[in-house]
Amino acid sequence: MKNFYRGLVYCIGMVILSFGIILNTKTGLGVSPIISIPYSISKIWKVNLGNVTAIVYILCVFGQIVLRGRKFRIFDLLQIPMSIVISRIINFFNDIIVINCNNLIVNLILLFIAILLTGIGVVMTVETKFVPNAADGFTQAFSAKFGIGLGLAKNIVDVSSVITTVTIGFLFAGKVVGIGIGTLVAVLGVGRAIALVKVLVKNKIAVLAS
């Protein structure tokens, strides 16, 4: 029964994470760092966002293999099919969520909600010790490799993602694609949201993961 609830928390977390990521995108203030690379690629080359996200996530799995070395578990390869699943969820929310609001205050409120939801989703998928979202699995591997907190590791990975996205935009489109104030706020905000959520609910999730 515990494994059932553990899986349920994981699935809910995956949906919340996907919703938060796309809500961040729909505010019009800039996309979430976690999806900025596939978003810029999808816009520049006019390809499906979910498909590109799946490819980037699979690359994150290979990144984990490099970071973890012999500590990488065969079980963690399940992140590859889960990357395909989450890419479908991202496509679903991307298709159904439509926000046409030019009110900066409203968009900032939506951005705050998106960042909080992303933080909640990350903690729920990572701390259940089930199959983490590949991007967050990479962040977790980075955290373990260099002995830093998950929140700080998230900040570092997000900054790196933004730099990569800006580079791709300038090289192939001659401009920045997808990066805005919302992206910069999320770089700092998601990591702090993760740290806050971990303080509030980590022990409860740990009971399911033990």
Side-chain angles (χ1 to χ4, degrees):
M1 184 61 71
K2 180 177 288 188
N3 285 336
F4 169 78
Y5 287 116
R6 179 183 170 196
L8 181 61
V9 169
Y10 172 81
C11 290
I12 294 173
M14 188 164 58
V15 172
I16 291 174
L17 174 61
S18 301
F19 182 76
I21 290 171
I22 293 302
L23 182 59
N24 197 142
T25 302
K26 298 295 183 175
T27 62
L29 299 175
V31 303
S32 170
I34 196 174
I35 203 174
S36 63
I37 296 175
Y39 180 86
S40 64
I41 292 173
S42 71
K43 287 297 183 182
I44 293 170
W45 284 284
K46 309 299 181 184
V47 292
N48 182 272
L49 176 60
N51 293 343
V52 182
T53 300
I55 293 171
V56 171
Y57 277 13
I58 290 171
L59 291 176
C60 286
V61 177
F62 287 105
Q64 291 175 55
I65 294 174
V66 173
L67 288 171
R68 293 194 182 278
R70 294 182 178 179
K71 293 182 179 179
F72 184 84
R73 304 171 301 172
I74 298 298
F75 176 80
D76 290 327
L77 289 175
L78 288 176
Q79 291 176 64
I80 293 177
M82 292 311 299
S83 294
I84 297 174
V85 172
I86 198 169
S87 71
R88 298 309 96 190
I89 299 174
I90 285 175
N91 268 346
F92 172 74
F93 283 129
N94 191 43
D95 290 339
I96 69 169
I97 298 176
V98 178
I99 299 175
N100 295 312
C101 179
N102 295 320
N103 188 303
L104 179 60
I105 301 301
V106 172
N107 285 331
L108 285 173
I109 292 172
L110 291 174
L111 176 63
F112 174 79
I113 295 172
I115 290 173
L116 182 59
L117 289 174
T118 302
I120 292 171
V122 169
V123 173
M124 290 178 72
T125 54
V126 172
E127 294 299 331
T128 51
K129 294 181 173 59
F130 199 54
V131 182
N133 170 290
D136 296 318
F138 177 83
T139 302
Q140 190 178 37
F142 186 85
S143 171
K145 176 69 175 181
F146 296 102
I148 58 178
L150 184 61
L152 178 58
K154 178 66 175 173
N155 290 152
I156 295 172
V157 171
D158 281 350
V159 170
S160 300
S161 297
V162 171
I163 292 172
T164 302
T165 300
V166 171
T167 302
I168 291 172
F170 276 123
L171 287 178
F172 299 102
K175 61 181 181 180
V176 176
V177 179
I179 302 299
I181 187 174
T183 309
L184 301 179
V185 172
V187 166
L188 299 175
V190 173
R192 297 309 93 200
I194 290 172
L196 174 62
V197 174
K198 285 187 70 174
V199 169
L200 296 176
V201 303
K202 181 179 179 180
N203 290 338
K204 295 179 181 178
I205 295 179
V207 171
L208 293 175
S210 60

